[in-house]
Amino acid sequence: MWSVLCIILVVALEYISMTRIFIGNSTLKYKVTISLAMASLCSCSIINLFQSLFINGCKLREILHKYSEIDQLFSSKLYRHLIYKNTRLLLTLQFATMILVVIINRVLLAYVLQGYLIFPHILGAFLLLVPIFVNCTAILHFVNLVLLLRNKYKYLNSVLESSALTPCNETISDYCNTNYVTPIDTFRMKPSFNEQRYYRYSSRRQHFRNLRIIYSQLHDVAFLMNYTYRFSLLCATVWVFCSIIPSANRIIEMQPTNIYMHILTTLLSSTYYFAVIGIMALSCSLAVNECSRSSLIVQKIMLRDDIDSEVMKELEMMFTQFKAMKIGFSACGMYRIDLQFLCGIISGSFSYVIVVMQL
């Protein structure tokens, strides 16, 4: 119900904003750029609301279900402490910072454009916060899921690194999931040396196999997340890029009157949009880099001299699997969301400013 009301409100806001833009006495370049920014803002929020109603709900439940399965496989107090430490506090800080920055930005922008603030200007600025909050909430939702995935890869890599440091004459049952390890008959006599050795190697083989299972499930989660949010990522990047262009135009067409407020508003809005696209790119790059570390750690384990041939076979299969199951996040397969893409957005914005200033 709330999503339907938000969609109706966003459509009405887009119609009113477009009407005011074309009726107002502004330059053609301003009308074109601000129309693109408003259209991308409202369209992105409507798409996010529609996806939350019809698509993302089921997919999100599936993602969370897979996460819970992975949590059961790790089944460690240290794991839960590292992965979910201060989660509620971090989410609260993220949303509080987003709300504060967006409100300050919209109020300052309304004051700079009108020269004064009255109730209709304040009401218009706050109504435009609805689609912005919808888009930012969708982006933060995706970013937190990706960071959670990265933390799980990080913990898996820490288990692998501890396996590389553990001597082969010691078992690593602390990291072996009991659901996959054959229980030992505690009433039999003390096993012989060969039986103990066989158990140690069998335990290590089972340990690496369990990690392979977890890695496969993490890959499935990453693929499902990219499939669920691929169109939202495309809309978000288009919205951010179209919103940066009016900020660049304000720098070029800066008026001598109230120049400091123009500079402050432009810097604040530009920093905000670059931060939005930056946290998307950074979170995806962190998850991809952490996934890529796994195969390197396996190679270091394989360089040891005290590894049984059967364990070596398991490590070779693990290395092949890790190399094949790489992850990545893209906007409908058109471009990858990573730090290189962030650099492209920044360089494109500066190129636009330089070219337009010379015209």
Side-chain angles (χ1 to χ4, degrees), residues 121-137:
H121 298 157
I122 298 175
L123 179 61
F126 274 90
L127 286 177
L128 281 176
L129 294 179
V130 175
I132 295 176
F133 284 155
V134 170
N135 295 341
C136 292
T137 301

Side-chain angles (χ1 to χ4, degrees), residues 1-10 48-50 52-53:
M1 184 64 183
W2 286 107
S3 298
V4 175
L5 291 177
C6 285
I7 291 173
I8 296 173
L9 177 61
V10 170
N48 285 325
L49 289 170
F50 267 114
S52 65
L53 283 174

Side-chain angles (χ1 to χ4, degrees), residues 30-158:
Y30 174 80
K31 289 182 178 180
V32 171
T33 55
I34 201 67
S35 299
L36 285 174
M38 285 299 305
S40 61
L41 169 64
C42 296
S43 301
C44 182
S45 61
I46 291 172
I47 290 171
N48 285 325
L49 289 170
F50 267 114
Q51 284 200 324
S52 65
L53 283 174
F54 300 107
I55 301 175
N56 289 7
C58 298
K59 296 295 184 182
L60 178 60
R61 285 193 292 270
E62 188 176 352
I63 291 171
L64 296 178
H65 178 69
K66 288 182 178 294
Y67 273 154
S68 65
E69 290 180 350
I70 295 170
D71 293 342
Q72 292 176 3
L73 291 177
F74 274 121
S75 64
S76 168
K77 292 183 179 179
L78 177 62
Y79 164 79
R80 296 184 180 276
H81 175 74
L82 293 176
I83 299 299
Y84 299 105
K85 180 182 179 181
N86 299 326
T87 302
R88 185 175 299 178
L89 176 62
L90 291 176
L91 291 175
T92 304
L93 288 176
Q94 288 176 7
F95 282 95
T97 304
M98 177 195 72
I99 293 172
L100 182 62
V101 172
V102 171
I103 291 176
I104 293 174
N105 184 28
R106 294 307 307 176
V107 172
L108 281 177
L109 183 59
Y111 175 75
V112 169
L113 293 178
Q114 304 296 333
Y116 54 91
L117 282 178
I118 57 177
F119 179 74
H121 298 157
I122 298 175
L123 179 61
F126 274 90
L127 286 177
L128 281 176
L129 294 179
V130 175
I132 295 176
F133 284 155
V134 170
N135 295 341
C136 292
T137 301
I139 291 173
L140 286 178
H141 196 264
F142 169 76
V143 166
N144 283 287
L145 286 176
V146 173
L147 291 177
L148 185 60
L149 178 70
R150 179 249 181 180
N151 290 337
K152 293 179 185 297
Y153 272 115
K154 187 175 181 180
Y155 186 81
L156 184 142
N157 288 336
S158 67

Side-chain angles (χ1 to χ4, degrees), residues 131-309:
I132 295 176
F133 284 155
V134 170
N135 295 341
C136 292
T137 301
I139 291 173
L140 286 178
H141 196 264
F142 169 76
V143 166
N144 283 287
L145 286 176
V146 173
L147 291 177
L148 185 60
L149 178 70
R150 179 249 181 180
N151 290 337
K152 293 179 185 297
Y153 272 115
K154 187 175 181 180
Y155 186 81
L156 184 142
N157 288 336
S158 67
V159 174
L160 277 174
E161 289 174 341
S162 66
S163 304
L165 299 175
T166 305
C168 281
N169 57 1
E170 297 181 9
T171 60
I172 41 181
S173 56
D174 291 338
Y175 301 105
C176 290
N177 191 305
T178 55
N179 295 330
Y180 296 95
V181 180
T182 304
I184 303 173
D185 186 3
T186 55
F187 297 99
R188 68 180 182 180
M189 298 178 59
K190 184 178 179 180
S192 64
F193 175 78
N194 290 332
E195 289 177 337
Q196 292 180 12
R197 181 183 178 185
Y198 172 78
Y199 171 71
R200 285 195 299 266
Y201 287 132
S202 176
S203 174
R204 294 184 70 86
R205 288 196 303 272
Q206 189 62 53
H207 167 69
F208 290 125
R209 177 172 173 76
N210 294 342
L211 295 182
R212 287 178 57 200
I213 294 172
I214 294 173
Y215 191 93
S216 177
Q217 293 190 350
L218 288 175
H219 178 268
D220 293 341
V221 171
F223 179 81
L224 182 59
M225 287 171 53
N226 189 46
Y227 179 80
T228 304
Y229 291 94
R230 55 182 180 172
F231 195 65
S232 297
L233 293 176
L234 177 62
C235 295
T237 51
V238 172
W239 162 57
V240 169
F241 188 73
C242 291
S243 300
I244 291 173
I245 294 177
S247 301
N249 286 332
R250 282 198 294 272
I251 296 176
I252 299 169
E253 301 174 353
M254 197 170 292
Q255 302 294 329
T257 57
N258 208 6
I259 187 171
Y260 294 109
M261 290 298 295
H262 276 281
I263 294 175
L264 178 61
T265 306
T266 302
L267 289 177
L268 184 61
S269 59
S270 301
T271 304
Y272 170 74
Y273 289 119
F274 282 127
V276 168
I277 201 71
I279 61 173
M280 286 174 52
L282 181 60
S283 61
C284 293
S285 293
L286 288 174
V288 171
N289 293 338
E290 199 64 43
C291 175
S292 301
R293 283 185 59 230
S294 301
S295 57
L296 300 177
I297 299 173
V298 173
Q299 280 292 313
K300 293 181 180 179
I301 300 175
M302 293 172 66
L303 292 175
R304 294 181 52 171
D305 297 329
D306 55 345
I307 296 180
D308 181 69
S309 60

